Amino acid sequence: MKTTIDAEPVRTYLLELQQRIVCELERVDGKRFAVSNWEKPPGEPLRGSGATCILEDGALFERAGIGFSQVSGDRLPPSASAAHPEVAGCGFDALGVSLVLHPHNPYVPTVHMNVRFFRAHSPADAPGSSAAWWFGGGMDLTPYYGFEEDARHFHGCCRDALAIFGSDYYARFKRWCDEYFFLKHRAEPRGIGGIFFDDFNELGAERSFAMLRSVGDHFLPAYVPIVERRRALAYGEREREFQALRRGRYVEFNLVYDRGTLFGLQSGGRAESILMSMPPSVRWRYEWSPAPGTEEARLLSDFLRPRDWISAQ
């Protein structure tokens, strides 16, 4: 049986969320975002439009990207249909907001957040009717220097975003996040996680959408207090070099494993918007490792390990 679900309220919410986050980050940084409104040219396999907001070389952010997109296509790309063989060959609609913030100061963590809606349909489907639909998203934190207070705060906000929908969702989505944002070829986490969910429709359309909104609404309370605590800490070339090396891991994950990046590139999405998540400066050094006993070594040996951050003392 086909399910009817209206994408328009989702679009309205996502655009409002994007603008709300842009306004707050402009306040925090002091610099305005540049906005690129784009539309896919006629005749391309992927149809749609979006708005990409970029802030570069600000007082706080080296690069901050917040993108909204709404796209459709006649055939699901492999990155989507692999998890849903029952809708392989279907057309699709996808819309979402995705952001990645890369601060100058290595003591301020990089952060990623994404909320999205996906709908698959066949040519015979009535307008608004779907063969399958789901929500997805989450947020995760990638520190370069570990502060347990920050980790507890971030995970506490993630828990609060999900608490009213069920007592088990935070633990379930935290575990999913820890497993997802893991560089298998390095055998190390990308950061300290947060929450991640995909293919989510188990609460029905109305409550599933409400959960998505709660996740989006908790992003600024989760991240901005951390920024305010760490932005004035002094740093030097040593900290910046370590940040650049760790950013290399971020690039590796996004290009090798990230489903959103792969979906965008495989479906013919706008490359500039898809790759805005990349840090503007990054380094790789052959067989580099931090000196024992340093804060850099502690990040790798002690901090970047899945744990119960909320109960940590």
Side-chain angles (χ1 to χ4, degrees):
M1 179 179 177
K2 303 298 184 182
T3 300
T4 300
I5 180 167
D6 186 3
E8 192 57 33
V10 183
R11 172 186 168 85
T12 299
Y13 169 74
L14 293 174
L15 286 169
E16 184 275 330
L17 177 67
Q18 182 191 37
Q19 187 58 39
R20 189 178 354 137
I21 294 173
V22 164
C23 289
E24 176 63 4
L25 296 184
E26 286 181 341
R27 182 196 68 80
V28 171
D29 188 282
K31 186 175 181 178
R32 299 293 298 274
F33 278 79
V35 181
S36 297
N37 293 302
W38 55 268
E39 187 169 355
K40 295 296 291 182
E44 291 196 8
L46 193 70
R47 302 174 293 277
S49 60
T52 302
C53 302
I54 294 287
L55 188 159
E56 294 188 312
D57 298 320
L60 172 66
F61 296 112
E62 192 169 359
R63 171 178 291 162
I66 309 168
F68 166 81
S69 64
Q70 182 170 10
V71 297
S72 62
D74 296 328
R75 189 177 184 85
L76 283 165
S79 59
S81 58
H84 295 275
E86 74 279 7
V87 294
C90 284
F92 66 91
D93 305 301
L95 57 159
V97 164
S98 183
L99 68 81
V100 177
L101 312 179
H102 291 292
H104 288 285
N105 191 324
Y107 290 109
V108 181
T110 285
V111 70
H112 160 256
M113 191 275 290
N114 173 264
V115 282
R116 59 189 180 271
F117 172 66
F118 192 94
R119 185 169 61 183
H121 54 83
S122 64
D125 290 339
S129 184
S130 307
W133 61 268
W134 56 86
F135 292 96
M139 57 180 119
D140 64 284
L141 199 68
T142 304
Y144 306 101
Y145 290 89
F147 296 93
E148 296 204 3
E149 177 188 10
D150 297 347
R152 288 196 298 271
H153 171 82
F154 188 83
H155 276 272
C157 287
C158 290
R159 175 203 57 198
D160 293 346
L162 300 170
I164 64 171
F165 301 98
S167 59
D168 65 323
Y169 281 124
Y170 167 70
R172 176 176 153 193
F173 292 170
K174 177 190 180 298
R175 183 169 58 251
W176 198 344
C177 189
D178 288 337
E179 293 171 354
Y180 181 76
F181 291 104
F182 186 81
L183 287 83
K184 301 177 183 66
H185 62 285
R186 299 280 190 183
E188 65 184 42
R190 186 174 83 172
I192 63 161
I195 51 175
F196 176 83
F197 62 99
D198 205 359
D199 309 324
F200 188 87
N201 55 20
E202 64 191 58
L203 293 175
E206 183 176 343
R207 291 280 286 168
S208 296
F209 180 31
M211 193 185 78
L212 183 89
R213 295 196 305 271
S214 187
V215 171
D217 293 346
H218 277 79
F219 169 72
L220 288 172
Y223 185 62
V224 172
I226 296 172
V227 170
E228 301 291 13
R229 279 198 293 267
R230 308 302 169 195
R231 65 182 301 170
L233 295 180
Y235 63 92
E237 286 303 312
R238 167 180 156 176
E239 291 85 0
R240 281 286 284 176
E241 180 176 13
F242 184 62
Q243 179 191 51
L245 290 165
R246 292 302 305 168
R247 282 175 169 180
R249 302 295 205 259
Y250 207 91
V251 172
E252 290 177 22
F253 179 87
N254 278 19
L255 293 181
V256 176
Y257 300 113
D258 186 65
R259 286 179 63 180
T261 301
L262 295 176
F263 174 84
L265 295 177
Q266 290 174 356
S267 62
R270 184 175 185 262
E272 285 295 313
S273 297
I274 297 164
L275 299 176
M276 72 177 184
S277 64
M278 298 302 172
S281 59
V282 62
R283 289 192 66 179
W284 282 270
R285 288 176 57 184
Y286 184 71
E287 292 189 341
W288 181 89
S289 61
T294 62
E295 286 301 302
E296 292 83 1
R298 188 178 79 87
L299 179 85
L300 301 179
S301 63
D302 301 338
F303 208 74
L304 296 188
R305 294 292 178 265
R307 67 166 97 168
D308 180 0
W309 288 107
I310 296 175
S311 300
Q313 300 295 329

